[in-house]
Amino acid sequence: MYLGKVIGTVVSTVKCPSLTGCKFLIVEKINQDLTAKKQTEIAVDTVGAGDGETVIVVGGSSARMSGDGKKKDLPVDAAIVGIVDTVEVSQC
């Protein structure tokens, strides 16, 4: 699981039938201080995220199972599962 910032969209007219209706976003990984890591990934959007928003992204089997009740076991490696309001890091 990691924090990311939505920086774009991907449109695919031909894809696996189970992904029909899914929105794909380009996400740039970010550090806890919200600075860019300069690494991007395409993730399926399960929460309605938009351009410029900070999001929570999961990978692996968590991403595959992140669809709604009708769409489980999606063939994806990354999924957006949350839109971040704030980030607080304690200074120990």
Side-chain angles (χ1 to χ4, degrees):
M1 185 180 318
Y2 67 88
L3 290 176
K5 184 172 190 157
V6 177
I7 61 169
T9 60
V10 174
V11 177
S12 173
T13 55
V14 179
K15 57 186 162 260
C16 178
S18 65
L19 294 174
T20 300
C22 293
K23 181 170 81 169
F24 298 98
L25 298 175
I26 303 169
V27 178
E28 182 172 35
K29 294 180 180 184
I30 59 176
N31 294 307
Q32 62 192 16
D33 62 359
L34 307 182
T35 58
K37 288 186 175 182
K38 304 296 184 195
Q39 297 173 335
T40 60
E41 186 167 39
I42 297 170
V44 67
D45 179 21
T46 67
V47 294
D51 196 40
E53 289 191 294
T54 301
V55 293
I56 300 169
V57 181
V58 296
S61 61
S62 297
R64 189 180 78 244
M65 300 303 292
S66 66
D68 61 17
K70 299 173 197 162
K71 291 189 175 194
K72 289 282 187 192
D73 207 18
L74 296 173
V76 298
D77 289 327
I80 297 169
V81 295
I83 299 173
V84 176
D85 295 316
T86 61
V87 175
E88 272 186 47
V89 180
S90 357
Q91 301 299 324
C92 295

